[in-house]
């Protein structure tokens, strides 16, 4: 046996034969395989739950009274591998009483793993990258936006909730 002291901690080492050593290595490898299996199972359950929520969501809305714009991201298509495509509708208030707001739709493609989110779109002829992450599930996420220097928080909405917010935005623009 060997006794090693490091500060207030002591470690005791004992000699083992080859058979006992091989068994320890095998046990360690079995534990590692089990941990990998459990991690994969957890990821698959999270992905199933996440994409199921994504299917039930009409879109993701960013709408704040003090902001001159309202954003709706809709996911039209996604794959289990994480590819997503959709569109970003941007409604912007104007000072023109004849046309109090404008609407611009941007096509968006990107990737997600249920945690991170990267989208690419074209703004004024330039490819623009939007990055962010989901907050645990598919109910909300943070996303960078080219009009601000901070990420915006988008919330999942039903079609009815969106129409209510859309009407409020249009009324406040007039």
């Amino acid at each position: 046996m060997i006794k090693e002291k490091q500060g207030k901690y002591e470690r005791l080492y004992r000699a083992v034969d080859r058979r006992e050593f091989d068994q320890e290595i095998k046990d360690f490898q079995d534990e590692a395989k089990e941990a990998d299996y459990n991690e994969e199972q957890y990821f698959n359950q999270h992905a199933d739950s996440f994409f199921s929520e994504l299917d039930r969501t009409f879109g993701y809305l960013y709408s704040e009274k003090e902001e001159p714009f309202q954003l709706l991201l809709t996911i039209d298509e996604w794959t289990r591998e994480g590819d997503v495509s959709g569109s970003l509708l941007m409604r912007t208030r104007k000072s023109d009483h004849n046309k109090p707001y404008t609407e611009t739709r941007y096509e968006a493609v990107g990737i997600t793993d249920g945690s991170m989110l990267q989208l690419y779109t074209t703004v004024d002829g330039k490819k623009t990258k939007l990055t962010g992450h989901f907050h645990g599930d598919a109910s909300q996420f943070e996303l960078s936006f080219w009009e601000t220097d901070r990420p915006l928080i988008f919330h999942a909405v039903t079609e009815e909730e969106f129409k209510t917010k859309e009407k409020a935005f249009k009324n406040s623009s007039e």
Side-chain angles (χ1 to χ4, degrees):
M1 294 196 123
I2 298 173
K3 186 177 187 179
E4 178 184 60
K5 186 170 181 165
Q6 293 180 344
K8 63 180 181 176
Y9 298 102
E10 289 184 3
R11 289 189 179 165
L12 197 57
Y13 298 94
R14 67 180 177 80
V16 295
D17 63 17
R18 183 68 182 178
R19 191 183 75 236
E20 192 175 352
F21 179 76
D22 289 344
Q23 185 61 45
E24 284 293 322
I25 295 296
K26 183 183 177 317
D27 291 346
F28 178 77
Q29 289 171 338
D30 290 346
E31 285 178 31
K33 283 179 188 175
E34 181 69 21
D36 283 346
Y37 174 78
N38 289 338
E39 183 179 341
E40 185 177 339
Q41 290 297 98
Y42 172 78
F43 177 79
N44 287 336
Q45 288 171 349
H46 173 72
D48 289 344
S49 173
F50 175 81
F51 287 116
S52 178
E53 276 185 71
L54 200 60
D55 273 342
R56 292 188 307 269
T57 301
F58 171 74
Y60 293 91
L61 182 67
Y62 174 81
S63 184
E64 298 291 330
K65 289 181 183 179
E66 66 274 357
E67 294 285 7
F69 52 83
Q70 182 183 61
L71 304 166
L72 176 71
L73 176 68
T74 54
I75 305 294
D76 300 327
E77 205 173 336
W78 59 268
T79 66
R80 179 92 169 143
E81 291 75 30
D83 299 321
V84 294
S85 64
S87 63
L88 180 66
L89 173 64
M90 180 177 179
R91 214 174 256 122
T92 308
R93 286 188 183 99
K94 299 292 180 187
S95 57
D96 183 357
H97 293 296
N98 294 328
K99 191 173 183 183
Y101 63 89
T102 60
E103 290 184 357
T104 308
R105 186 173 301 275
Y106 300 94
E107 294 304 312
V109 296
I111 57 171
T112 185
D113 64 359
S115 180
M116 62 72 96
L117 176 64
Q118 288 183 358
L119 296 173
Y120 298 88
T121 189
T122 303
V123 179
D124 298 329
K126 294 191 319 191
K127 191 170 188 169
T128 303
K129 180 180 178 181
L130 308 173
T131 59
H133 64 277
F134 283 88
H135 292 175
D137 59 13
S139 65
Q140 68 178 9
F141 59 83
E142 258 178 52
L143 191 65
S144 63
F145 184 59
W146 63 88
E147 294 279 329
T148 66
D149 58 351
R150 61 180 168 57
L152 306 177
I153 296 179
F154 288 73
H155 299 276
V157 291
T158 63
E159 190 170 3
E160 296 77 30
E161 290 169 324
F162 171 66
K163 287 181 180 183
T164 301
K165 293 282 190 174
E166 175 184 46
K167 186 176 180 179
F169 181 87
K170 287 179 179 180
N171 288 340
S172 69
S173 297
E174 293 176 351

